[in-house]
Amino acid sequence: MKRKSRKVAIVGSGLVGSSCAYSMVNQAICDEIMMVDRTYDRAMAQALDLSHCMDFMGTRTKVYAGTTSDCAGMDIVILTAGANPKPGQTRLDVLDDAKTITRSIVTPIVESGFDGIFVIAANPVDIVTYLVWQISGLPRHRVIGTGTSIDSSRLKTLLSEVFSIDPRSVNGYALGEHGESQFVAWSHVTIGGKPILHILDQHRERFKNLDLGDIARKTKDAGWEIFTRKGSTHFGIGSALAYIARSILNDEHKIIAVSAILDGEYGMKGTCTGVPAIIAGEGIQELIELNLNEEESAKFTASCDIIRRGIDSLSLS
């Protein structure tokens, strides 16, 4: 019996796209990866370079170059191509450029007959995810942004250093915008299943110098710290993209903080923001509505309002 190949297209063959592809090749997440870029030679070069890894891998992944018009048979299209903010700008400062780039990419992909799942990393990711949903006409559960997945990972890494544990023993989320208005839902952060607020209350002397506000600030600013030091962030977000793709292709039902279009969840509509979601074979199977406290709910509402204003500022006609 012929087995259906699992195919992923990565649009944008720069640092993020190539890091994502390399992570997927290393983990044998799919059978085929098609690299797409506005410069075909660049996509071809990345595909060739990645294909030369196969002798050293446990499983072979076919990697080749293509175009947006070749996406019809893909299970997932990953969008990494976008407008990068310059020093001093925020992710929201590149909205107009992001709209133009997103439309120029998504339109020919949909016209090719693509009927799979979009996974988006291009910034500002929450608004770009909403744009992709509007332009593509796909149901909202098949349009997923990386959202605060990378921010939540950064949070876990910071806490693992404080508590001297494996980051995977920390559970918790940064929520809201992948940007300045994000926040940490401390009421839902646990260490080995125990709420962090209970741990701090029971061990006040031991952790008297721990400032949760400082941890939240470092979580939010981590990307900018990397960007100002080397001009880009790509290994972490590339791995996040691969992680989301793996949960889709393997129907893993992992709970990941992603950019999701809200339709009443958390009392919000007409916006897209970072919330935990069950990621499975059809995309977002379910959004997890956390029971936020009053302060967290206010921060969530404020973050959603910022994203909504960004969405409303763009005419989709």
Side-chain angles (χ1 to χ4, degrees), residues 108-291:
I109 290 174
V110 173
E111 289 176 349
S112 77
F114 173 69
D115 193 35
I117 297 170
F118 277 110
V119 179
I120 300 103
N123 280 316
V125 67
D126 304 293
I127 297 174
V128 171
T129 300
Y130 194 91
L131 286 174
V132 172
W133 174 57
Q134 290 283 287
I135 295 167
S136 70
L138 292 176
R140 65 182 180 127
H141 69 275
R142 288 202 274 140
V143 182
I144 308 168
T146 49
T148 50
S149 58
I150 184 63
D151 305 293
S152 299
S153 177
R154 290 165 177 162
L155 170 67
K156 295 174 186 179
T157 299
L158 287 166
L159 290 175
S160 74
E161 294 167 354
V162 171
F163 290 92
S164 299
I165 55 172
D166 189 307
R168 291 166 293 186
S169 294
V170 182
N171 191 28
Y173 306 102
L175 300 177
E177 176 199 6
H178 174 58
E180 294 302 305
S181 66
Q182 69 174 254
F183 68 98
V184 176
W186 290 113
S187 65
H188 290 273
V189 176
T190 62
I191 309 292
K194 188 169 185 176
I196 189 172
L197 298 180
H198 292 183
I199 294 173
L200 298 184
D201 186 56
Q202 291 178 344
H203 302 279
R204 294 182 183 181
E205 183 63 26
R206 180 180 173 187
F207 297 109
K208 63 182 179 181
N209 295 321
L210 178 60
D211 183 346
L212 295 184
D214 185 55
I215 294 290
R217 179 187 59 77
K218 288 179 178 178
T219 297
K220 174 176 67 70
D221 293 342
W224 290 115
E225 181 180 0
I226 297 168
F227 183 84
T228 56
R229 290 174 183 268
K230 72 170 189 173
S232 66
T233 62
H234 49 96
F235 293 126
I237 191 63
S239 296
L241 284 164
Y243 190 73
I244 293 169
R246 188 178 71 193
S247 191
I248 293 169
L249 293 172
N250 292 346
D251 195 29
E252 290 181 346
H253 292 72
K254 287 189 179 295
I255 298 177
I256 308 171
V258 297
S259 295
I261 291 97
L262 302 185
D263 187 25
E265 295 86 2
Y266 293 91
M268 297 292 166
K269 287 188 176 184
T271 192
C272 176
T273 195
V275 293
I278 301 172
I279 307 298
E282 295 300 315
I284 295 177
Q285 178 172 297
E286 182 180 345
L287 299 183
I288 306 298
E289 294 189 68
L290 300 178
N291 184 23

